Amino acid sequence: MQTIKKLIADKLVEGICALGAPQAPEASELVGMLEYPPDDTMGDLALPCFKLSRTLRRAPVQIAAALAECLGNMPSVEKAEAVNGYLNITVSKDYLVNTVLGGIIEAGEAYGSSEVGKGKTVVLDYSSPNVAKPFHIGHLGTTVIGHSLKKLHEFHGYKCVGINYLGDWGTQFGKLIVAYKKWGNKEMIEQGGIDKLVELYVKINNAISGNAEQGIVADPTLGDAARAEFKKLEMGDEDNLALWRWFIDISLAEYEKTYKQLGITFDSYKGESFYTDKMPAEVQKLRDKGLLKIDDGASIVDLEPYGMPPCLILKRDGSTLYPTRDIAAAVYRKNTYDYDKSIYVTSAGQSLHFAQWFKVVELMGYDWHDKLVHVPYGTVSINGAKLATRTGNVVLLKDLFRAAIEEVSNIMTEKNPNIENKEEIAEAVGVGAIVFYYLSNSRIKDINFVMEDALNFDGNTGPYAQYTYARTCAVLRRAEGEAAPTSLSITAPDEAALLKVLAKFPEKVSAAIADYEPSVITRYILDVAAAFNRFYHNCQILSAEDPDVRATRVAITRATNVVLGNAFPLICMKKMEKI
Ligand code: ARG
């Protein structure tokens, strides 16, 4: 509706000037003032005239009446009415059929995109799991929100760099090396993969700290041994380095399987270890600027004036910390990519960490500090159960996906047993169901995952959205090879209603980017699906007798196919032509 809003706004500028405005208003401001009425019987757009009444020194009712007259003869406007100080506008059928419908079909894959980001670079840091720790449902958020934001920005013409900032450094590797030497061997890891690594990791944690439930007594000497092994790794010990690289490769191979199911690729896998030799320069800079304070032996940046606890830079033994690495990585990425925006997607639990080191970067005098954006999201629980990480009591992402795929496969065996590519479809629909369910919520809200809800083919779910897309494909397959329509015309209210929803796609994309909120797209897909299914049930498409009516309806189906087809990848959902 953005295009029609602009057309109307331009005309409104004329009308407002004619009413004696001391200064011509900006059309863009009027675009912003145009609202969607709560009920579509009132029209498609509404302009509240109360604010204008101050500058024009007239009653809102009078202004609305005058502007209604001014819009009256626009071909794109069917009706403009003044109601209680509001100007209610109904878009014309001619506009819907020629400009909206024609425009969507002509633009095709480009519909909804823009070039506002052309020449600008956005760096996105997301997924970023910690190697050898379980890749669990808590990582779903960063992975799919991050990738959606990447897709959305690309759709707006930005050059995007997706970075998987692997947690590939830290004392956990010392623990893992001890555990491996004590309980593991090569074949065991080669066969068991990341699951075995996680098992070893859980076992060593239990052994170090003890586990009363399992009758394990704490053995602090193992903690010392782990620290010693990590120290050796830091000093470049060849054997430990080889083990470390191997653990990373094993883990990455596993993550890749999950990324592939989601259709996600990264442009860089530079993890925390990459920044080891880049931190000293930043620490020195902090020191030179007089920002470092010694507190109980540790080096910190005092953030009290900004209402935050201190940011820890070096531990007492001189080793670096999570914020130190993030600072060095931000500088490196700025130098490498010269980003206009650098986005970090993590759970809200890390909000303070980001606020702290963003402030430190500002205090260091880096003028790009305002290009850093933290995008937090809420927690996930499954059927009400919270997740624990260290004890190994977690739901792994791959298990969740497997369960969903199996379930979809069973449903398909019942509903459509002879379909080709059953496995591929079951995977896309099963994984898509989880992603869609997750991304239906505002990202900051905590969510409770209920599998049956996610997979409900009749609910507002991913399978329902995919089913709707497949339905548009089926209609188009049957209409293939038909002659182009001679003239298009709208003859039913459900046609107009659907086109009005389709017209909103570009502004939904803009809103999703502005708020870093993929759920805007997810919810919009549901609006499209609902409007299409109403149209599908109430209007005959292929069986319509009048060739123009039939052609118009096929074209509307094609436009729906374009919009859903463009929207799905923006939320990491694959599109399937048949389900
Ligand atoms: N590896 C971290 C974790 O799993 C997330 C990293 C987020 N990115 C960053 N630049 N700090 O908690």
Side-chain angles (χ1 to χ4, degrees):
M1 298 289 271
Q2 216 52 15
T3 324
I4 180 87
K5 281 190 193 170
K6 279 197 199 100
L7 282 176
I8 290 174
D10 286 339
K11 193 81 186 168
L12 288 173
V13 171
E14 281 174 32
I16 291 168
C17 288
L19 281 172
Q23 207 184 346
E26 289 289 334
S28 59
E29 200 184 318
L30 287 161
V31 168
M33 282 168 70
L34 286 168
E35 299 173 354
Y36 292 115
D39 168 357
D40 56 12
T41 57
M42 296 158 96
D44 303 318
L45 293 167
L47 180 79
C49 297
F50 309 97
K51 233 171 96 189
L52 291 170
S53 111
R54 253 171 281 146
T55 39
L56 293 175
R57 296 172 180 281
R58 282 168 201 251
V61 185
Q62 261 185 329
I63 301 174
L67 294 178
E69 203 165 308
C70 150
L71 295 188
N73 53 6
M74 279 180 83
S76 46
V77 170
E78 181 173 289
K79 196 167 75 180
E81 278 186 311
V83 182
N84 301 332
Y86 281 88
L87 168 63
N88 290 349
I89 305 158
T90 304
V91 175
S92 75
K93 295 200 176 70
D94 176 66
Y95 179 83
L96 287 175
V97 92
N98 292 312
T99 311
V100 173
L101 179 55
I104 296 172
I105 289 172
E106 198 184 302
E109 283 184 0
Y111 179 62
S113 70
S114 97
E115 303 231 307
V116 291
K118 212 173 165 190
K120 296 199 181 121
T121 300
V122 174
V123 168
L124 300 104
D125 174 318
Y126 62 100
S127 201
S128 310
N130 293 328
V131 172
K133 290 192 193 171
F135 195 32
H136 57 77
I137 183 168
H139 294 105
L140 182 62
T142 171
T143 307
V144 297
I145 295 170
H147 197 68
S148 295
L149 294 178
K150 181 177 182 215
K151 288 286 175 195
L152 283 160
H153 280 88
E154 278 173 352
F155 207 44
H156 262 195
Y158 292 92
K159 178 174 181 277
C160 292
V161 184
I163 300 182
N164 196 336
Y165 180 63
L166 291 176
D168 61 359
W169 202 242
T171 43
Q172 83 251 35
F173 288 97
K175 290 183 187 171
L176 206 55
I177 291 170
V178 172
Y180 175 73
K181 288 187 178 164
K182 204 168 152 58
W183 301 301
N185 59 61
K186 198 156 184 256
E187 297 86 77
M188 165 189 180
I189 305 297
E190 266 167 4
Q191 280 165 21
I194 196 171
D195 293 347
K196 274 286 168 231
L197 287 181
V198 170
E199 213 177 284
L200 286 176
Y201 184 69
V202 170
K203 194 164 172 179
I204 187 87
N205 271 314
N206 278 332
I208 293 173
S209 335
N211 185 322
E213 252 173 56
Q214 296 174 21
I216 302 169
V217 187
D219 178 357
T221 62
L222 286 174
D224 296 337
R227 271 184 290 278
E229 292 291 5
F230 182 60
K231 192 90 214 159
K232 268 168 74 185
L233 181 63
E234 277 188 307
M235 304 307 285
D237 176 84
E238 274 309 322
D239 291 341
N240 277 10
L241 273 175
L243 278 177
W244 167 73
R245 275 191 212 104
W246 185 48
F247 293 155
I248 292 174
D249 288 346
I250 299 266
S251 305
L252 264 181
E254 182 73 29
Y255 302 148
E256 284 302 334
K257 288 187 206 154
T258 303
Y259 295 142
K260 199 162 163 243
Q261 288 179 314
L262 287 163
I264 292 182
T265 54
F266 290 92
D267 305 295
S268 161
Y269 280 92
K270 287 194 169 66
E272 295 192 33
S273 67
F274 178 77
Y275 297 97
T276 309
D277 63 353
K278 311 208 167 27
M279 283 181 280
E282 300 313 313
V283 174
Q284 193 54 43
K285 182 158 180 163
L286 282 161
R287 207 172 275 128
D288 293 346
K289 294 233 161 197
L291 290 164
L292 279 195
K293 269 193 185 165
I294 305 299
D295 181 42
D296 198 19
S299 302
I300 59 155
V301 177
D302 178 21
L303 296 176
E304 206 181 335
Y306 312 99
M308 288 185 276
C311 183
L312 301 175
I313 303 293
L314 297 175
K315 284 196 224 165
R316 284 175 74 163
D317 63 5
S319 56
T320 55
L321 286 135
Y322 189 40
T324 329
R325 274 190 287 284
D326 258 326
I327 293 168
V331 174
Y332 173 85
R333 290 173 191 173
K334 183 68 197 164
N335 294 336
T336 310
Y337 305 112
D338 193 22
Y339 48 73
D340 289 276
K341 220 168 15 173
S342 180
I343 297 172
Y344 298 84
V345 186
T346 77
S347 74
Q350 297 197 28
S351 293
L352 178 62
H353 161 74
F354 282 95
Q356 285 176 306
W357 76 260
F358 286 2
K359 187 45 111 184
V360 172
V361 166
E362 180 183 346
L363 296 173
M364 289 170 89
Y366 285 118
D367 59 2
W368 41 263
H369 67 90
D370 55 349
K371 301 190 187 300
L372 304 170
V373 184
H374 179 227
V375 176
Y377 59 86
T379 59
V380 186
S381 49
I382 293 204
N383 297 330
K386 281 260 181 279
L387 301 159
T389 20
R390 301 259 319 264
T391 55
N393 170 25
V394 293
V395 177
L396 299 179
L397 213 44
K398 64 173 179 186
D399 292 338
L400 189 69
F401 285 176
R402 193 187 300 133
I405 295 167
E406 257 172 44
E407 190 60 37
V408 171
S409 195
N410 292 341
I411 298 175
M412 283 171 65
T413 310
E414 242 172 67
K415 290 197 174 181
N416 202 349
N418 301 323
I419 192 160
E420 280 170 45
N421 303 330
K422 191 173 145 198
E423 274 169 29
E424 191 195 344
I425 297 170
E427 181 176 296
V429 176
V431 172
I434 288 173
V435 171
F436 195 92
Y437 182 82
Y438 181 79
L439 290 179
S440 303
N441 291 277
S442 303
R443 65 176 155 75
I444 203 66
K445 280 205 187 137
D446 293 342
I447 73 165
N448 178 33
F449 207 95
V450 181
M451 186 70 118
E452 299 83 75
D453 291 353
L455 287 176
N456 183 353
F457 272 60
D458 301 318
N460 281 331
T461 60
Y464 162 72
Q466 276 173 318
Y467 189 71
T468 306
Y469 176 78
R471 179 173 266 176
T472 64
C473 293
V475 174
L476 295 176
R477 267 195 307 274
R478 282 174 25 222
E480 217 171 66
E482 286 188 10
T486 43
S487 85
L488 298 175
S489 62
I490 295 219
T491 49
D494 289 316
E495 297 168 332
L498 172 56
L499 284 173
K500 284 172 196 172
V501 177
L502 298 180
K504 286 184 185 163
F505 184 47
E507 63 202 72
K508 295 290 178 183
V509 174
S510 302
I513 294 176
D515 295 339
Y516 304 100
E517 189 63 88
S519 66
V520 172
I521 302 297
T522 321
R523 292 196 190 130
Y524 173 68
I525 288 174
L526 292 175
D527 289 346
V528 174
F532 178 76
N533 287 317
R534 260 194 306 274
F535 157 79
Y536 183 86
H537 287 294
N538 296 339
C539 304
Q540 294 180 318
I541 305 175
L542 296 169
S543 48
E545 271 170 33
D546 182 309
D548 284 344
V549 169
R550 178 185 156 97
T552 305
R553 291 180 179 170
V554 170
I556 293 175
T557 306
R558 187 174 306 285
T560 309
N561 178 273
V562 165
V563 171
L564 291 178
N566 291 358
F568 283 8
L570 299 178
I571 53 154
C572 309
M573 204 163 68
K574 294 186 180 159
K575 40 188 185 190
M576 291 283 122
E577 300 204 345
K578 287 183 187 170
I579 289 191

